[in-house]
Amino acid sequence: MKSFLLIFGIFLLIGPPTNAQPGYELLKDVNKIDIPFEFRNNLILVKVTFSRVFPLQFIFDTGAENSILSKKSVTDILGIPYEREFKIIGADLKTELTAYLIRGIHLNIENMVAPNHSMLVLKEDYFNFEEMIGIQVDGIIGADLFKGLVVKINYERKVITLMKSKSTKHTFGEAVPVPIIIEKNKPYLQTVIRTQNDSLVNVKLLLDTGAMLSLLLNTDTHPGLKPPDNTVQGNIGAGLGGFITGHLGRVTSLQLGEFECNEVITNFQTFTEGMDSVKMRGRNGIIGNEVLSRFLVIIDYPGQKLYLQPNRRYKTEFEFDKSGLVIIATEQGMNKYVVHSVIEGSPAEAAGIMVGDVIKRINSSPASLLTLERMGQIFRKKEGKVTKVVVERDGKRLKFEFTLKKLI
């Protein structure tokens, strides 16, 4: 399965809501605080108790300026007033969406309490997380909660540590510093990529823990960022407001300070009619969790520094789906899996699997015992692996068999 590469970039068309609880004030009585998280489908998920009542699950997102609740039904039930309407642009850079400002919200985020927080509520659940990744997600925690702090993300221990800058002198260990730029509370890295035609391109990239992908490049922002010859075309991901179209390929290398990631799977997004490239703030793309999770990551917002220390996944190859299937989860329990699209020229297409087919079994495992994440792992296995899939189509069960092969 080609995983949906979620990108939670949003762009306010009106000034962002002010927050009466800056991140630094959350730690006024302590020097640091640890927040455990789950890491699933390349997303950092934290438990949130909303308004002392609702247990929810949010994505920890350094690529979002503001925190967002995607389930308006929660605030409707609690009778929380909406103070102001905002228009925002989705991750596809053209879809205009509606959100509302709420204030005075009590958030309990694992070991941290934000007693008086302002955030946005989406008019509709534009994310549709459950369908795209099969995981309950109710919103995102943005930089309005941790601005002014040092944020340490340990992907191996699955712990986020928020620290005051003055208390971090001896906490960086062997992590290597890299200069970054903080704009609108978002961290940007100016670095170099080597393309498949061996060109070196200087780029400005957003460090985005709300993105499942490895790397996204906006092709119209630099003449050297054209997709390579060997790509897969179609929906390269999904974000706030809908699908993102483009090409999936690779770059030869991505430089991160003194470290280098090679043969990085890359999403090439081309601006189309209606896209608002002005909202990009001069960036050329995004670095997501598939790259960041290979390091111990420390973002020093006040000092405008990124600290990186490779972990055991650093040299792991960047694997892509070898089946050609894009599968979504449907129905209330998110346990019905439907083929959303099939990549042209892929093993799945050659075998005869079609859009709308309901996945019933993969190899020896019933689909009801699998998750979208597990399906993705099966379809990224070694090239040459024979894979059997049973689907339901028009009330009939059909059996298919194909051999996994590299698509990019």
Side-chain angles (χ1 to χ4, degrees):
M1 182 194 67
K2 185 181 75 173
S3 300
F4 282 101
L5 306 174
L6 296 183
I7 307 163
F8 303 119
I10 64 168
F11 306 92
L12 294 176
L13 299 185
I14 308 177
T18 57
N19 189 356
Q21 187 77 30
Y24 200 87
E25 292 186 8
L26 296 175
L27 302 185
K28 59 184 178 182
D29 297 323
V30 295
N31 285 326
K32 67 176 184 177
I33 193 165
D34 290 334
I35 302 174
F37 65 85
E38 288 187 64
F39 193 58
R40 296 185 57 189
N41 272 15
N42 274 345
L43 291 173
I44 297 174
L45 303 172
V46 297
K47 301 294 183 184
V48 177
T49 302
F50 185 89
S51 195
R52 297 187 175 89
V53 177
F54 280 94
L56 304 176
Q57 187 162 248
F58 280 42
I59 290 170
F60 185 85
D61 188 357
T62 58
E65 186 180 348
N66 299 101
S67 298
I68 299 175
L69 175 69
S70 61
K71 302 290 194 298
K72 186 172 177 286
S73 58
V74 173
T75 45
D76 286 343
I77 290 171
L78 294 174
I80 295 174
Y82 305 109
E83 294 194 11
R84 185 179 175 188
E85 181 179 300
F86 285 83
K87 295 299 180 184
I88 59 180
I89 292 293
D92 61 358
L93 299 178
K94 60 182 179 181
T95 304
E96 185 175 298
L97 312 172
T98 301
Y100 303 103
L101 173 64
I102 56 175
R103 297 185 189 272
I105 303 302
H106 186 284
L107 297 178
N108 190 300
I109 306 169
E110 294 289 356
N111 298 324
M112 183 180 75
V113 175
N116 185 32
H117 195 61
S118 299
M119 60 191 305
L120 298 174
V121 181
L122 299 181
K123 182 179 180 179
E124 300 176 26
D125 188 0
Y126 304 108
F127 285 125
N128 292 320
F129 292 111
E130 289 82 0
E131 179 179 284
M132 293 185 286
I133 58 176
I135 299 174
Q136 175 200 337
V137 178
D138 305 295
I140 59 178
I141 294 297
D144 52 359
L145 261 168
F146 47 83
K147 61 185 178 182
L149 299 176
V150 176
V151 178
K152 178 180 178 181
I153 306 173
N154 191 319
Y155 286 90
E156 290 195 308
R157 290 183 53 224
K158 298 181 176 61
V159 174
I160 299 165
T161 303
L162 303 180
M163 300 173 280
K164 293 178 181 177
S165 57
K166 293 181 180 179
S167 66
T168 60
K169 293 180 180 179
H170 304 291
T171 59
F172 295 160
E174 298 178 2
V176 177
V178 183
I180 57 174
I181 302 168
I182 304 296
E183 296 179 355
K184 292 282 188 178
N185 300 317
K186 297 180 184 181
Y188 294 88
L189 173 67
Q190 291 182 317
T191 187
V192 177
I193 63 166
R194 184 182 294 274
T195 66
Q196 294 281 283
N197 65 4
D198 212 32
S199 297
L200 294 177
V201 183
N202 293 310
V203 290
K204 177 183 177 183
L205 303 173
L206 173 67
L207 302 174
D208 191 355
T209 63
M212 297 167 64
L213 51 76
S214 305
L215 178 66
L216 181 143
L217 296 175
N218 296 105
T219 59
D220 295 333
T221 62
H222 192 287
L225 298 181
K226 302 304 179 186
D229 294 334
N230 183 25
T231 63
V232 169
Q233 188 173 2
N235 291 327
I236 64 172
L240 181 57
F243 291 103
I244 300 167
T245 59
H247 295 77
L248 275 160
R250 293 181 186 266
V251 297
T252 300
S253 66
L254 167 66
Q255 200 71 33
L256 300 167
E258 66 180 48
F259 306 110
E260 187 175 86
C261 293
N262 298 312
E263 295 300 320
V264 181
I265 294 173
T266 303
N267 303 261
F268 295 89
Q269 182 186 21
T270 301
F271 293 130
T272 59
E273 185 177 355
M275 285 187 170
D276 189 354
S277 59
V278 175
K279 305 298 180 183
M280 298 283 292
R281 299 190 63 83
R283 80 180 188 211
N284 303 106
I286 291 170
I287 299 175
N289 275 327
E290 181 57 36
V291 167
L292 296 175
S293 64
R294 294 158 188 258
F295 300 87
L296 171 70
V297 175
I298 302 171
I299 303 174
D300 181 355
Y301 282 83
Q304 300 201 59
K305 287 283 182 64
L306 170 71
Y307 293 82
L308 296 174
Q309 182 176 335
N311 60 31
R312 57 187 174 182
R313 291 193 63 241
Y314 172 49
K315 292 294 186 180
T316 304
E317 290 186 14
F318 289 87
E319 295 286 356
F320 181 67
D321 165 78
K322 299 181 180 72
S323 71
L325 291 174
V326 176
I327 300 171
I328 61 174
T330 64
E331 298 192 349
Q332 188 170 1
M334 293 296 115
N335 55 5
K336 179 180 179 181
Y337 301 107
V338 179
V339 176
H340 177 271
S341 60
V342 185
I343 294 175
E344 184 178 350
S346 68
E349 185 196 47
I353 297 178
M354 300 173 62
V355 172
D357 285 349
V358 179
I359 304 295
K360 304 303 290 185
R361 180 180 289 271
I362 300 177
N363 294 329
S364 60
S365 301
S368 59
L369 299 181
L370 298 172
T371 62
L372 285 179
E373 186 174 19
R374 177 58 186 147
M375 290 181 186
Q377 293 169 353
I378 292 172
F379 293 138
R380 287 194 299 271
K381 286 188 175 181
K382 187 176 180 180
E383 185 175 27
K385 174 77 173 177
V386 176
T387 304
K388 298 178 180 180
V389 177
V390 177
V391 307
E392 184 177 281
R393 183 189 301 167
D394 298 328
K396 298 179 181 179
R397 288 207 172 203
L398 304 175
K399 298 180 180 180
F400 299 93
E401 182 176 301
F402 54 82
T403 301
L404 299 179
K405 75 171 184 179
K406 286 188 176 181
L407 299 175
I408 57 173

